[in-house]
Amino acid sequence: MTGNIQLLGDTLAAAKAENRAALIAYLPAGFPTVDGGIAAIKAVFDGGADVVEVGLPHSDPVLDGPVIQTADDIALRGGVRIADVMRTVKEAHEATGKPVLVMTYWNPIDRYGVERFTEELAEAGGAGCILPDLPVQESALWREHADKHGLATVFVVAPSSRDERLGTITDAGSGFVYAASLMGVTGTRASVGEQAADLVRRTRAADRSGRLPVCVGLGVSNAEQAKEVAGFADGVIVGSAFVQRLLDAGSDEAAGLTAVRELAGELARGVRRDS
């Protein structure tokens, strides 16, 4: 079984051909429940997202801010397992035909087994993985198995990344580059800032092949910010704003699904640069 790295590439290329940025949403698996999380992803796709990142809840997050940490805690207390993450990917992809990635820290994959994880993710129809804490110089084993199973390896770059490191990452990565727009943890911001545009420019300059889209995350929460980022990035990544809508809805699942669908629609209009 081969994963959907080609679908991911085609989706990002299609957005570019439409003279817009892709909208990439993030939601953790198992939140508010496994079934509820799957329904939320379908709602986000229905609202206009092009790609979804499924978060693998982790008890010791490095990148995730308080909103996503709260959702992860709910998922973990609900007993979410890697099998549930794979089911989430499978059902979301099968229902929509759209690319679904997993965003995870390295430790759960290392414990689960790289070969087993990549094989199951490909079988589920996954498009790849975003690995925020896997150093590129230690990624050979992962990339070997990801390539074997047709999965993208998405690395994260930050404003602190030196140009030489950006070159190493763009050489090794596939799918796209996740550009963290500022230093710190995830969460909505009042302003995305100029650091993001500079990081995108430097990442593109470091990409000797010119093949990898650069997508910006950390801080985007509304259509105005999405439009700003879409002016210089290939994709706009939104996570905490979606999770917050579900948290605000509490036990009213229907209200939560409506809220994330509506937010996706607003953001999808925002990433159209001529909107």
Side-chain angles (χ1 to χ4, degrees):
M1 185 73 179
T2 301
N4 274 308
I5 186 173
Q6 186 63 50
L7 176 62
L8 175 63
D10 291 347
T11 299
L12 295 173
K16 184 176 182 179
E18 295 173 8
N19 191 35
R20 67 176 178 88
L23 174 59
I24 303 174
Y26 167 94
L27 286 167
F31 168 73
T33 61
V34 175
D35 288 340
I38 293 168
I41 292 169
K42 292 177 182 177
V44 166
F45 272 134
D46 186 49
D50 298 289
V51 180
V52 165
E53 305 169 3
V54 175
L56 195 161
H58 191 47
S59 59
D60 187 26
V62 177
L63 188 70
D64 301 315
V67 171
I68 292 175
Q69 284 185 36
T70 298
D72 279 4
D73 184 58
I74 291 169
L76 290 168
R77 283 191 282 112
V80 71
R81 296 290 184 267
I82 287 179
D84 299 311
V85 177
M86 298 299 179
R87 179 186 154 211
T88 299
V89 171
K90 180 180 177 65
E91 294 194 16
H93 171 64
E94 287 183 346
T96 64
K98 295 185 178 181
V100 182
L101 300 102
V102 169
M103 187 169 188
T104 178
Y105 298 103
W106 180 246
N107 181 257
I109 295 178
D110 190 40
R111 292 178 62 184
Y112 197 72
V114 177
E115 172 65 16
R116 180 185 178 194
F117 189 94
T118 52
E119 182 176 359
E120 290 184 6
L121 183 56
E123 288 177 353
C129 251
I130 302 162
L131 301 160
D133 66 340
L134 177 63
V136 64
Q137 64 270 21
E138 298 175 18
S139 67
L141 177 64
W142 164 265
R143 287 187 286 120
E144 175 190 343
H145 289 289
D147 291 347
K148 174 183 173 183
H149 291 291
L151 299 170
T153 298
V154 180
F155 290 110
V156 178
V157 300
S160 60
S161 302
R162 297 179 181 274
D163 291 348
E164 181 182 357
R165 178 167 175 77
L166 292 176
T168 301
I169 286 173
T170 53
D171 283 347
S174 55
F176 63 91
V177 178
Y178 186 127
S181 64
L182 36 75
M183 302 302 293
V185 297
T186 59
T188 60
R189 301 292 194 280
S191 173
V192 178
E194 295 180 2
Q195 280 188 324
D198 182 62
L199 178 57
V200 170
R201 178 192 60 76
R202 291 197 299 117
T203 303
R204 285 176 174 156
D207 184 2
R208 287 175 276 268
S209 67
R211 63 189 174 85
L212 284 183
V214 183
C215 303
V216 171
L218 298 196
V220 177
S221 60
N222 57 50
E224 183 179 347
Q225 291 173 336
K227 184 173 183 178
E228 176 189 353
V229 174
F232 56 80
D234 300 297
V236 179
I237 303 169
V238 181
S240 294
F242 284 114
V243 175
Q244 188 64 60
R245 294 286 178 104
L246 292 175
L247 287 169
D248 290 344
S251 60
D252 190 341
E253 182 176 339
L257 296 179
T258 297
V260 294
R261 187 183 296 108
E262 289 178 350
L263 177 58
E266 294 167 12
L267 294 166
R269 289 188 289 275
V271 298
R272 285 161 171 80
R273 300 182 179 102
D274 56 355
S275 62

